[in-house]
Amino acid sequence: MTPATITAMSVAYDQLLDGTIQHLQELKEHGVRFVSLSPETLAGLNQPPVAARARSQSVSPAPPAPAPRPAARPPASPTPILPKPVEQKPPSPQALALPLPTESTAPAPAPALSPEARAAAFADLRRRALACVRCPNLAAARKNVVFGVGDINAQLMFIGEAPGADEDTQGEPFVGKAGQLLTKIIQTMGLTRDTVYIGNILKCRPDTPGQASGNRKPTPEEMQTCIPYLHEQIDLIRPRVIVALGATAVEGLLGKTIGITKLRGQWRTYRGIPLMPTYHPAYLLRNQSLSEKRRIWEDMLQVMEKLGLPISQKQRDYFLKAAG
């Protein structure tokens, strides 16, 4: 490998490194704290630069040149003053931080659409989702595809795991007893179902062969197959905050986690958007203690603060023993 080729490779490597650092810094400015790296990528980063390896492997040392014959010493000249080299600062540790399993890399921001174009894109997405048969067992058992409901310009988006029997019958998410409780929570925040957007990771009810009633947890494969539709919904709506309802929804969005009890109330990031994990409303139907209601309400207070919504003292005191 010639010296010219090695120099060109070195320049290309430096340009790639600079571009990578710049991209990481841009992600950081958009609120992304961590990026995902595969084991293969980490192994590659631990290797020396390509040009350096080529230089050490391909360039053999030149034979020593014969000693030159003494020549007349030229007249002394002033020592040139060279400019002081500029010290380059290495990238900050934050820019190259390793990812946590509960963070999501933000996608490249799509160009903003006009209201008309967004509505058309949403209608096309809905048409494709309603006709989906990617999971033959779910498509054969469903009554309706439960696409989602609410304002496609909403600042707040609620995401559950999958439709239940009531949702499958009506074709709308969160309309059963748990959905009615979610509606009350939304109204207590000073909002309505029409001003937020509500959806699920799965658009079809998980089938329950041999069962006359009841629901089952969607499998990771089912969630992985269906979640591209949710990604398109999020990217078109561009909410300012996402609320993940329940452990299964959190698992489907963020992967394996430490558990909803420990994770709830702690901000995460999903597709570059702040995400608040909290209990599923169905949990409160099974456990109606004042302390558990207060925990989910404290999560909603954080959401309201993030959105800049007005919060009255009465709202701050909900489900406190002193307020009763």
Side-chain angles (χ1 to χ4, degrees), residues 3-13 51:
T5 302
I6 295 174
T7 301
M9 294 173 63
S10 179
V11 172
Y13 178 86

Side-chain angles (χ1 to χ4, degrees), residues 200-213:
N200 286 307
I201 296 178
L202 240 62
K203 307 302 182 192
C204 298
R205 182 192 180 196
D207 59 335
T208 53
Q211 293 182 217
S213 60

Side-chain angles (χ1 to χ4, degrees), residues 19-156:
T20 301
I21 294 173
Q22 181 180 357
H23 177 63
L24 290 172
Q25 290 174 339
E26 291 174 352
L27 290 178
K28 182 181 178 183
E29 293 173 357
H30 284 82
V32 179
R33 296 172 52 211
F34 303 95
V35 296
S36 299
L37 294 178
S38 66
E40 294 78 11
T41 302
L42 287 174
L45 290 175
N46 288 326
Q47 298 295 323
V50 177
R53 296 200 305 270
R55 193 179 297 117
S56 62
Q57 297 171 2
S58 302
V59 180
S60 58
R69 298 178 62 184
R73 180 177 297 176
S77 60
T79 301
I81 301 176
L82 300 177
K84 184 178 181 180
V86 178
E87 181 181 357
Q88 294 185 351
K89 295 182 178 180
S92 63
Q94 291 81 4
L96 299 178
L98 295 178
L100 291 178
T102 53
E103 300 293 338
S104 169
T105 303
L113 299 177
S114 66
E116 295 78 11
R118 179 183 296 187
F122 223 84
D124 178 70
L125 174 60
R126 182 184 182 89
R127 176 188 58 77
R128 288 186 282 116
L130 293 181
C132 181
V133 290
R134 293 179 183 177
C135 302
N137 57 316
L138 303 188
R142 74 192 179 201
K143 295 179 181 178
N144 287 291
V145 173
V146 183
F147 180 70
V149 66
D151 185 0
I152 65 173
N153 301 297
Q155 297 186 43
L156 177 58

Side-chain angles (χ1 to χ4, degrees), residues 242-261:
I242 295 173
V243 174
L245 298 167
T248 303
V250 172
E251 178 183 336
L253 296 173
L254 302 179
K256 292 291 184 180
T257 68
I258 59 177
I260 189 63
T261 301

